[in-house]
Amino acid sequence: MGKLFANTTGNTPTFVTLDEPFLVSNMCVKFASTVAGLTGATPVPVQSVNFEIAKNLNQIYSTSTTCGTEVLNFASQHNQQMDITGDMEIIYDADTYKTLAIANTQQAI
């Protein structure tokens, strides 16, 4: 029987603690019939983008370490359901995406 657990003593995970800037210049838009198909899909040029990202934060507070006080200490925050809404404008000289939209064909993006 193989080893199920490794000794992780001394290993400390690192996490990004600040929000990262969302740069449209680093964005790559692809369409495919499945999520797996996005890997090999060709990037589509986008004219303009308007996105709203709602993280729906839930802040968690804990009681103070001193009894008899009304102080609540910030403990952590957790993202709840994340919503990304918006629109983008694609200028294309073919009817490919227009045909997909008119036919209500779902695509992974």
Side-chain angles (χ1 to χ4, degrees):
M1 179 182 240
K3 194 174 189 181
L4 296 177
F5 298 99
N7 182 351
T8 58
T9 304
N11 292 344
T12 304
T14 58
F15 300 100
V16 175
T17 57
L18 300 174
D19 289 338
E20 293 288 327
F22 183 80
L23 302 175
V24 175
S25 60
N26 293 337
M27 190 170 101
C28 181
V29 177
K30 297 179 179 182
F31 294 95
S33 58
T34 65
V35 173
L38 289 172
T39 304
T42 303
V44 176
V46 175
Q47 182 71 27
S48 64
V49 176
N50 179 24
F51 282 135
E52 181 178 325
I53 301 172
K55 294 168 52 171
N56 297 314
L57 289 176
N58 182 19
Q59 296 183 333
I60 309 297
Y61 292 90
S62 65
T63 59
S64 176
T65 56
T66 306
C67 292
T69 65
E70 295 182 14
V71 176
L72 288 178
N73 297 318
F74 174 76
S76 64
Q77 59 189 11
H78 303 275
N79 288 337
Q80 303 302 300
Q81 178 178 333
M82 184 173 171
D83 295 323
I84 301 174
T85 57
D87 55 74
M88 68 179 83
E89 183 179 340
I90 299 173
I91 297 178
Y92 225 69
D93 59 357
D95 290 338
T96 306
Y97 299 106
K98 181 176 106 177
T99 304
L100 290 170
I102 290 171
N104 202 25
T105 304
Q106 293 187 2
Q107 294 279 291
I109 184 171

